Amino acid sequence: MAHGLAQKESGDPLMPKSDDNRRTFLYTEKRGYEVTRNPHLNKGMAFSLEERLQLGIHGLLPPCFITQDVQLLRVLKNYEMKKDDLDRYVFLMGLQDRSEKLFYRVVLSDVERFMPIIYTPTVGLACQQYGVIFRRPRGLFITIHDRGHIASILQNWPENYVKAVCVTDGERILGLGDLGCNGMGIPVGKLALYTACGGVPPQQCLPVLLDVGTDNEALLQDPLYIGLRHRRVRGQAYDDLLDEFMKAVSDRYGMNCLIQFEDFANVNAFRLLNKYRNMYCTFNDDIQGTAAVAVAGLLAALRITRSKMSDHTIVFQGAGEAAMGIAELISMAMVKEGLAKEDSLRRIWMVDSKGLVVKGRDHLTHEKERFAHEHPQMKTLEDVVRELKPTALIGVAAVAGAFSEQIIRDMASFNNHPIIFALSNPTSKAECTAEQCYTFTEGRAIFASGSPFNPVTLPDGRMLYPGQGNNAYIFPGVGLGVTACAIRHINEDVFLTAAEALADLVTEKDLLEGRLYPPLSDIREVSLVLAVKIIEYAYEHNMATLFPEPSDKEAYVRSLIFTTDYDDFTAESYRWPEESMKIQSCKL
């Protein structure tokens, strides 16, 4: 455990102290049964005899003393007995509810194995089945009927020092649509990755579900549904709820508290981002996080094609928030290379459910208008690809199989190394599989996906490892960097900085193996590098509000990172002076 100052936790100070041998102890007033049921404190059978006696838990545990390594073995044996991924998800969430440090030790023992379980693609199935698998609430549920009382609801949350909030209203969960209150699995999963991948302490993370109802008829008729049973409330009442929520979070946790928007429908995602981005410390991961990870993949791909971003013509299957976010960041990258803004936009085309987005087409949104060009209307993606001959094809519309064999073969016919990104989640919504992409292009394609795919062996014996454009490469590092230096407003350059830093971490060996991203096993170091780059950018551009500026930024960030090592505990029978409670910076 890193040495640090202290935090008041729910009226119970957890006070780290060090002896002369630099061994760190954590002091708590909690005692007895409550200690073994608190996921922040619980060590299970790893509590020493001294701790059991002082904390009043002697006799509440079996008499054996075991290490975290042995606990890890037990968890893995139980994990292997589960029959499917949903069971594995439920099992791991139960572990998170019992012992946070052990949960994160398990995840970090094999990130590539466990991330698809605690997040995409399994989290999508978990959200669909949330009413069935629901055990213990994690995070806050705030409803449309709580208007006028959100500040008091936030007071019910037991942590007083929250640095990152992830919020959804459940209307567009992955590619699965309106799942209402069942969407809570998304902010819970995202913030688990803040800790596992970025090292943000879990006590500093708060998942929130804003329940305004659902238009999903099946959920409204489901007796196991856990949310409000009425249609979605929209209009002024919805906006008032969001305004009150944003103000209440900032009032309670400070203007530096990061608020990440997740899985809002297009109708709200853009306008809420534009409304709040200059008022609060906020970003939308579906727009900006997805953009950064996609652009990082493209920047890495440029090393294979030996070209510049401005040399490419890019077609999007989809014209929603993900497409718009990626397109905007691509445009910024082209401008950075020296291309005029208008010229950069002309290299980007979009296809939505009505066909090619062109000027003069009816009912174009403001966002789509920016990427509408003079061209005859075309209805199918196949025709668009054949006509425009793009160098890169990016799928973000959650239309399974949208990249047909003909489309992929056409891409290969006029590109030596066609760039094909099937980014829709979960796996069932992917535009094509890695095997299809590599097979139809004879292994020449540069491929990335949103959900993980297994390695593909080509007829010539080469094995390619598909790059997974997982937002987890971006948002944990961004969250760590933004909160570490107390940035108050996050601009698009932060995400371009993150994308460039991520692309720089891809090695030549990675590229030869088909990877456009570093191995997920390196995700913690990736997040650290991104955080340091963002902090450097923030101080260079006067965006940081933490002073004095850390002289060694990497060492500073490392000092903040959550560790899965167990703390040594003892108990105190008195309360700490009130002035100690005002110090806010504890790493558990």
Side-chain angles (χ1 to χ4, degrees):
M1 173 180 170
H3 307 289
L5 300 176
Q7 170 195 358
K8 181 178 180 182
E9 298 251 349
S10 314
D12 178 22
L14 303 177
M15 305 292 295
K17 279 191 174 181
S18 300
D19 62 18
D20 292 338
N21 295 319
R22 306 302 294 166
R23 187 180 178 193
T24 305
F25 294 87
L26 203 63
Y27 286 79
T28 176
E29 290 180 0
K30 286 185 169 64
R31 288 180 58 80
Y33 188 78
E34 186 180 2
V35 171
T36 65
R37 293 300 184 269
N38 185 314
H40 302 329
L41 305 178
N42 184 29
K43 294 162 56 173
M45 293 168 64
F47 282 112
S48 68
L49 178 59
E50 180 186 8
E51 288 173 328
R52 296 182 192 200
L53 291 170
Q54 292 208 37
L55 294 170
I57 59 176
H58 187 53
L60 300 181
L61 297 167
C64 183
F65 305 95
I66 63 176
T67 65
Q68 192 182 71
D69 289 339
V70 176
Q71 290 178 317
L72 174 62
L73 278 176
R74 176 182 287 134
V75 170
L76 294 178
K77 285 186 72 70
N78 277 273
Y79 181 87
E80 289 162 3
M81 294 165 60
K82 304 306 173 186
K83 67 180 188 296
D84 57 37
D85 284 347
L86 185 59
D87 271 358
R88 297 180 186 105
Y89 173 90
V90 172
F91 173 72
L92 289 177
M93 292 303 103
L95 177 61
Q96 188 180 19
D97 287 336
R98 295 192 307 275
S99 177
E100 278 187 335
K101 293 220 169 192
L102 182 55
F103 167 77
Y104 287 110
R105 171 68 188 282
V106 170
V107 173
L108 288 172
S109 71
D110 193 341
V111 175
E112 292 190 71
R113 179 184 186 185
F114 293 112
M115 188 182 292
I117 303 299
I118 65 172
Y119 202 62
T120 56
T122 307
V123 72
L125 177 60
C127 287
Q128 290 176 304
Q129 300 292 323
Y130 213 71
V132 176
I133 67 174
F134 182 77
R135 299 291 188 273
R136 180 185 295 185
R138 296 188 65 86
L140 282 179
F141 295 83
I142 298 173
T143 78
I144 190 70
H145 307 303
D146 292 322
R147 282 177 298 161
H149 306 285
I150 295 178
S152 62
I153 292 174
L154 286 175
Q155 291 293 332
N156 293 338
W157 186 247
E159 309 296 341
N160 293 324
Y161 187 50
V162 169
K163 296 180 73 173
V165 172
C166 184
V167 59
T168 185
D169 69 354
E171 189 169 6
R172 194 202 62 84
I173 298 299
L174 302 175
L176 303 171
D178 187 350
L179 297 184
C181 207
N182 288 0
M184 180 53 113
I186 296 298
V188 168
K190 285 282 184 180
L191 291 176
L193 297 186
Y194 261 65
T195 300
C197 302
V200 180
Q203 297 96 320
Q204 297 177 6
C205 299
L206 171 57
V208 177
L209 189 289
L210 299 178
D211 189 354
V212 298
T214 179
D215 292 334
N216 187 323
E217 191 62 38
L219 291 180
L220 293 174
Q221 301 303 318
D222 184 354
L224 298 180
Y225 179 55
I226 63 173
L228 295 177
R229 294 179 183 277
H230 59 62
R231 297 284 179 182
R232 282 189 172 270
V233 174
R234 303 187 185 276
Q236 192 61 49
Y238 178 93
D239 287 355
D240 290 346
L241 178 77
L242 267 294
D243 286 345
E244 184 182 346
F245 169 75
M246 298 295 286
K247 183 177 186 304
V249 169
S250 295
D251 286 348
R252 175 146 167 73
Y253 300 120
M255 293 301 295
N256 300 331
C257 181
L258 172 61
I259 304 173
Q260 175 177 326
F261 278 71
E262 195 69 41
D263 287 1
F264 283 72
N266 290 345
V267 66
N268 290 316
F270 291 109
R271 69 183 190 87
L272 293 177
L273 176 61
N274 292 330
K275 180 177 183 178
Y276 295 129
R277 67 192 311 164
N278 295 321
M279 298 169 61
Y280 300 100
C281 177
T282 187
F283 74 94
N284 185 303
D285 187 51
D286 303 298
I287 299 173
Q288 296 160 291
T290 300
V293 77
V295 168
L298 290 173
L299 290 172
L302 297 181
R303 289 158 58 186
I304 299 174
T305 60
R306 301 187 183 281
S307 59
K308 298 188 300 181
M309 189 78 80
S310 52
D311 294 331
H312 288 265
T313 298
I314 298 158
V315 168
F316 285 87
Q317 164 65 16
E321 54 199 88
M324 296 298 170
I326 299 169
E328 182 59 39
L329 213 59
I330 289 173
S331 172
M332 288 178 62
M334 290 181 177
V335 170
K336 194 170 182 178
E337 291 177 347
L339 199 65
K341 184 69 174 181
E342 286 304 311
D343 290 336
S344 72
L345 297 178
R346 280 195 285 269
R347 284 166 166 74
I348 301 169
W349 299 77
M350 295 192 179
V351 178
D352 62 13
S353 59
K354 297 177 182 177
L356 186 63
V357 174
V358 295
K359 286 190 180 298
R361 212 186 76 179
D362 293 338
H363 309 301
L364 288 181
T365 64
H366 170 71
E367 290 78 21
K368 290 182 183 180
E369 283 279 5
R370 297 188 68 235
F371 298 97
H373 309 306
E374 294 287 354
H375 196 279
Q377 177 63 62
M378 306 183 78
K379 292 295 185 182
T380 69
L381 179 62
E382 194 169 294
D383 290 341
V384 170
V385 168
R386 193 173 292 119
E387 170 75 15
L388 297 180
K389 294 180 172 52
T391 54
L393 181 61
I394 301 176
V396 283
V399 178
F403 296 170
S404 65
E405 178 178 349
Q406 185 61 55
I407 287 173
I408 296 172
R409 290 190 183 279
D410 283 344
M411 286 290 294
S413 71
F414 40 76
N415 292 293
N416 189 33
H417 290 291
I419 299 171
I420 299 176
F421 286 5
L423 299 182
S424 293
N425 284 313
T427 310
S428 61
K429 300 291 185 179
E431 288 78 11
C432 68
T433 67
E435 185 174 13
Q436 289 168 338
C437 186
Y438 290 136
T439 299
F440 300 150
T441 64
E442 300 175 335
R444 291 187 286 115
I446 302 171
F447 177 80
S449 60
S451 289
F453 283 103
N454 292 326
V456 176
T457 302
L458 300 176
D460 61 9
R462 281 189 300 152
M463 180 172 285
L464 296 177
Y465 297 82
Q468 187 193 354
N470 194 319
N471 287 21
Y473 281 115
I474 293 293
F475 67 80
V478 169
L480 180 62
V482 166
T483 57
C485 66
I487 293 175
R488 293 199 170 178
H489 307 296
I490 307 172
N491 61 30
E492 296 301 320
D493 286 315
V494 167
F495 290 95
L496 187 55
T497 298
E500 291 170 343
L502 178 57
D504 286 344
L505 292 173
V506 181
T507 66
E508 292 302 318
K509 180 176 180 292
D510 292 331
L511 295 175
L512 286 172
E513 294 177 343
R515 304 180 195 268
L516 296 179
Y517 302 95
L520 276 174
S521 56
D522 297 336
I523 191 69
R524 273 235 169 162
E525 284 302 308
V526 169
S527 296
L528 174 74
V529 170
L530 267 60
V532 171
K533 291 289 187 183
I534 288 168
I535 292 171
E536 290 172 347
Y537 175 87
Y539 280 106
E540 183 181 343
H541 293 84
N542 299 316
M543 295 169 60
T545 63
L546 175 75
F547 294 100
E549 178 181 347
S551 56
D552 187 335
K553 295 176 178 57
E554 180 179 337
Y556 167 65
V557 174
R558 287 190 186 278
S559 74
L560 303 176
I561 289 178
F562 173 79
T563 175
T564 62
D565 294 338
Y566 284 141
D567 302 302
D568 294 313
F569 288 94
T570 187
E572 284 290 352
S573 59
Y574 61 91
R575 291 192 178 276
W576 288 81
E578 185 60 29
E579 56 268 22
S580 297
M581 299 303 96
K582 296 176 183 177
I583 304 174
Q584 294 188 336
S585 177
C586 179
K587 176 182 167 298
L588 301 180

